[in-house]
Amino acid sequence: MRKVYLLIALFACQLAVAQVTNESTPKSWDLAFKSQPQKITMPSIDLEAIQQQDAIDDQIRNKPYKFGHKIPVDLNLFNSGLWTELENGDRLWRLNIESKGARTINFLFDRYDLPVGAEMYLYNNDRSDRMGPYTENENQEDGILGSWIIYGDNVWIEYYEPAAVKNQGRISIEQVVHGYRGFGIEEENYLKLNESGSCNVDVQCNPNLGSSTGTDWTTIRDNYRQAVARIIINGNGLCTGTMINNVREDATPYFYTANHCLGASDGASSFYNANNWSFGFEWFTNTPDCATFANTTGPFNPTQVLNGASLKMNHGFSDTALFELNQTPPASWNLYYGGWDRTTTVPTEQLGVHHPSGDIMKLCRNDQAAVAQNVTIGGVTANTWAIADWDYGVTEGGSSGSCLLNNSGQIIGELYGGAAFCNGTVDNGQPDFYGRFSTAWNGGGSPATRLRDWLDPDNTSPNTLDGEFYDILNNEEINAVISIEIYPNPSSGLINVILENPASYDVFDLSGKLIQSGSFNQVENQLNIKELANGIYFLRIQDGNNSITEKISKI
């Protein structure tokens, strides 16, 4: 591929995208209305029957943790709610939905298409919880959207439409999700935290407590709390997943989780639709509870939410799935893209980061070597790393898909299932099992069933890759204007380098080690990389005080 660069001083390329948060205020909150829409009440659900089925599924733990029951509806801008025209010609549409006894409510839209400038908000009746604005940035080709959850059993949907785009918006709801568990303890007031057991350890607790191995997990923990997300799957299921780096280190928003969270056959990327999935990042507290009976104090919900994803690969025997998020995480979030180890090296100690039962982010640690083991759960066999007994913390339903890390801070697997659970403030001594990253690397032998086509698209075959923060992956700092052409890249031997002026060059490997140096004295030059091992390298070109660094690939 030929790439042409015209690079300006200290240029940082950051893709700007909108984000859905709970920090903005709906427009109606500053207005007084003469009339209100008629409240629409959902039919009651058979909670006893639902809980009986959950008791069975929770023991198997090879399905997404179910927190809600879907109620079919047909509600849109034309057959429900109330329109109000404002003095300047802008309009507001408000819809009020009640599902009695619900702990949370969220929505599945079969038509979501907003024009530029329009906004949609969700909030509860007492205005203690809200999410939005949803804008045109959440539009997807098929019009599908899954919302985040709102606490309470009485929720409003508000749509603001500027006069300039009157009648251009389309919103249609096909399912209301009655949340009956998973986001809080059932007390007089439904709390938003502490659904998980008392032996769980908040991610901000000391990750080294009680360990005698000498490993300091602090930096690794700090990195991955910026990578892990709680997932709402198809409106009523919960799993955990992790942003993951690829060899090109180009900030492609790949997201790594468990295949059983999909419930789909191997290689389902051509037909599986995850446009109604939602991903909530950086939900943790700086006032942690570390395996006690006390409740965690912290934010009720993630403040950073993205919507929709495209399945790239899934593989049952490794229980692995890889998605590409439909929205690029905003640069201001500076998420961490996790590293990985595709070797079969036995990890001597491990750390997990996860959202048990949909709760705020937790960690768990094992100080012994994991064991490679085939495990059958619910009739499905997977090749796993077995954790015999957690030394600190535990996992639960909702933790499925969460990453297992080695002591180099690299992903080696994702949670498949197990029997570990809390017994008071300690765990029950039972095992957990993580699908192996190394098995998923070549998976089922096709791009739709293996990781390597996506995480190593140039087939450079590194055994490991370190993680990086978004600002490192997405920024190129240049000291002055340099005009340069580099091609072909990747290359098996010779790379053409076209320059306006003579310049010196250095080639570094991924660890920063200097591999070769030289000079380009012509307009048309060639860089010989025939003797280099296959992989990714950095080519730094310096022309006086001006310099540029660019990735090159040897294949």
Side-chain angles (χ1 to χ4, degrees), residues 306-487:
L306 298 175
N307 296 277
S310 172
L311 179 65
K312 297 303 179 183
M313 63 76 63
N314 66 303
H315 180 236
F317 189 52
S318 61
D319 193 40
T320 300
L322 184 74
F323 289 85
E324 182 176 348
L325 302 183
N326 289 350
Q327 297 173 297
T328 299
S332 60
W333 295 7
N334 198 25
L335 296 184
Y336 186 76
Y337 291 60
W340 41 262
D341 181 345
R342 71 177 184 91
T343 71
T344 58
T345 303
V346 175
T348 57
E349 50 187 325
Q350 311 87 39
L351 188 76
V353 183
H354 58 109
H355 287 284
S357 301
D359 204 348
I360 204 164
M361 196 182 299
K362 310 289 183 179
L363 63 80
C364 48
R365 193 193 72 238
N366 180 45
D367 298 333
Q368 285 74 44
V371 176
Q373 181 179 341
N374 286 355
V375 174
T376 301
I377 300 177
V380 179
T381 300
N383 181 237
T384 73
W385 289 119
I387 309 299
D389 180 16
W390 293 105
D391 290 285
Y392 190 39
V394 76
T395 69
E396 295 182 6
S399 304
S400 285
S402 60
C403 58
L404 185 69
L405 308 171
N406 62 18
N407 57 14
S408 295
Q410 296 160 337
I411 295 170
I412 55 173
E414 79 295 319
L415 183 60
Y416 172 52
F421 211 80
C422 283
N423 182 15
T425 58
V426 296
D427 75 306
N428 60 359
Q430 295 299 306
D432 271 339
F433 305 98
Y434 286 76
R436 293 174 62 181
F437 187 97
S438 57
T439 302
W441 187 255
N442 289 310
S446 68
T449 59
R450 65 189 180 201
L451 286 171
R452 67 179 176 89
D453 297 80
W454 310 101
L455 301 186
D456 182 24
D458 302 316
N459 198 28
T460 58
S461 302
N463 287 325
T464 63
L465 182 70
D466 289 335
E468 289 287 1
F469 281 95
Y470 178 87
D471 60 358
I472 300 298
L473 297 175
N474 200 53
N475 289 352
E476 293 178 355
E477 292 190 356
I478 315 301
N479 291 330
V481 176
I482 297 179
S483 180
I484 180 176
E485 295 181 43
I486 299 176
Y487 67 94

Side-chain angles (χ1 to χ4, degrees), residues 26-40 75-86 90-97 107 109 119-125 127 154-161 171 173:
K27 295 186 182 299
S28 69
W29 289 15
D30 295 324
L31 301 173
F33 295 93
K34 294 181 179 179
S35 58
Q36 300 293 343
Q38 182 177 358
K39 180 172 61 181
I40 299 176
L75 304 171
N76 58 56
L77 297 177
F78 305 101
N79 67 7
S80 56
L82 179 67
W83 282 99
T84 302
E85 185 163 326
L86 307 181
D90 297 347
R91 300 197 303 166
L92 284 176
W93 177 81
R94 293 172 298 143
L95 177 68
N96 183 208
I97 291 178
F107 304 95
F109 298 86
E119 297 177 345
M120 184 182 76
Y121 286 88
L122 312 177
Y123 51 89
N124 57 12
N125 198 50
R127 300 183 176 182
N154 189 320
V155 172
W156 292 71
I157 300 177
E158 177 180 315
Y159 170 58
Y160 163 73
E161 189 174 74
I171 293 175
I173 307 163

